[in-house]
Amino acid sequence: YYPSKEIMDYANAKCESLYASAEKDPLGFWEKEAENLYWFQKWDNVLDDSNKPFFKWFTGAKTNIAYNCLDVHVTTFRRNKLALIWEGENGDGKTYSYFALHRETCKFANILKSLGVKKGDRVTLYMGRIPELMIGMLACARIGAIHSVVYGGFSVEALHERLEDSQSKVLIVADGAFQRGKIIELKKIADEALQRAATVESVLVVKRTGHQINMESGRDMWYHELMNLPIANNSDCLEIVDAEDPLFM
């Protein structure tokens, strides 16, 4: 399939010239692309290939992907532009400006930190395609935690395996998801998987469908209640991470 000339004329990337420049000078190409991001500290080397095949990119550089997604925009004209436009299966919808998405991300990042999640810890997200999924991913990135997204609909066994493999400390799950007019009982599936997942200490539950679910005392907490706690506004809690630090699994 080839795009029309009109599409190509208005495309952000001029593919032919991009391919040519990347082929001619791969390291120069990626260094130029990296300049589009914000770095708290620039790199010593674009590529360290001294220990092949364990290549390291942008060694010595410090950044944060969530900062690049949100913070760089909230002090510009773009702060009130829409960063996320969401529409659910039932026709419900939400919109978030860059400023609003930044606010929600910082609040949730504070909640995760208050639960003991720190840089390098793993957090699993198991829900449908709802705004809280993006907020959760950005919040993890903001504090240097490694997120693992499990498709909302995978079986008990699949979720359990991923929780065990990642050694996740926290599970973020929706009570359920709407799919083709039916409710997929995600929290019920998670409860079964958690019976064999010893590393999970906290379960944060997003209210999506509103159907009756089991909430285990001391482990399960409602997302919306946590987000209204004073601690959610505690601090900015940005973690500056190394360019080679893992982002997600």
Side-chain angles (χ1 to χ4, degrees):
Y1 172 80
Y2 295 95
S4 67
K5 184 179 183 303
E6 184 181 18
I7 293 292
M8 293 173 69
D9 287 343
Y10 284 93
N12 289 321
K14 308 302 179 186
C15 293
E16 294 303 323
S17 58
L18 275 176
Y19 290 145
S21 63
E23 187 175 21
K24 183 179 180 181
D25 180 15
L27 298 189
F29 172 81
W30 286 115
E31 184 167 33
K32 182 181 177 183
E33 290 300 309
E35 294 288 354
N36 291 318
L37 296 175
Y38 180 87
W39 300 86
F40 295 100
Q41 181 177 312
K42 288 293 185 71
W43 46 90
D44 301 319
N45 298 295
V46 175
L47 175 65
D48 177 1
D49 59 358
S50 60
N51 187 25
K52 298 176 182 177
F54 302 102
F55 298 96
K56 293 182 178 180
W57 287 90
F58 302 104
T59 54
K62 307 289 183 184
T63 188
N64 184 290
I65 287 297
Y67 187 95
N68 275 280
C69 289
L70 300 172
D71 298 61
V72 296
H73 302 302
V74 296
T75 56
T76 72
F77 73 94
R78 203 173 281 112
R79 63 183 273 130
N80 294 319
K81 298 286 186 180
L82 293 181
L84 177 61
I85 303 170
W86 173 81
E87 184 174 337
E89 179 169 314
N90 299 337
D92 48 342
K94 290 181 181 178
T95 58
Y96 295 83
S97 65
Y98 281 97
F99 179 81
L101 193 56
H102 176 265
R103 180 191 63 227
E104 296 302 295
T105 296
C106 290
K107 287 172 66 176
F108 193 42
N110 279 317
I111 294 299
L112 290 174
K113 283 197 76 171
S114 74
L115 294 171
V117 179
K118 57 187 183 299
K119 181 181 177 181
D121 285 342
R122 273 77 69 191
V123 174
T124 293
L125 299 101
Y126 180 65
M127 58 184 86
R129 291 176 289 275
I130 54 178
E132 289 80 4
L133 178 62
M134 276 65 81
I135 292 168
M137 293 165 66
L138 288 163
C140 288
R142 190 166 196 84
I143 60 174
I146 302 166
H147 64 270
S148 169
V149 178
V150 180
Y151 171 67
F154 272 9
S155 66
V156 172
E157 291 74 20
L159 177 58
H160 167 251
E161 286 175 4
R162 285 158 176 79
L163 288 170
E164 285 290 296
D165 286 346
S166 65
Q167 296 287 288
S168 286
K169 180 181 279 189
V170 172
L171 172 64
I172 307 169
V173 61
D175 56 356
F178 295 110
Q179 190 169 311
R180 299 176 186 174
K182 297 180 180 179
I183 291 177
I184 308 298
E185 296 192 48
L186 299 178
K187 180 58 166 61
K188 184 178 180 181
I189 295 170
D191 285 339
E192 291 186 51
L194 287 164
Q195 292 176 11
R196 294 172 283 160
T199 62
V200 176
E201 300 170 3
S202 305
V203 178
L204 312 185
V205 186
V206 177
K207 185 177 284 188
R208 169 68 179 128
T209 61
H211 75 283
Q212 189 68 34
I213 61 169
N214 173 62
M215 293 288 284
E216 185 172 311
S217 178
R219 184 197 70 182
D220 299 353
M221 293 161 275
W222 285 108
Y223 172 90
H224 63 276
E225 292 180 356
L226 292 172
M227 291 288 272
N228 285 324
L229 294 176
I231 199 169
N233 299 307
N234 197 29
S235 66
D236 186 30
C237 70
L238 179 75
E239 185 76 33
I240 298 174
V241 299
D242 189 85
E244 277 285 330
D245 282 338
L247 174 64
F248 65 91
M249 299 179 74

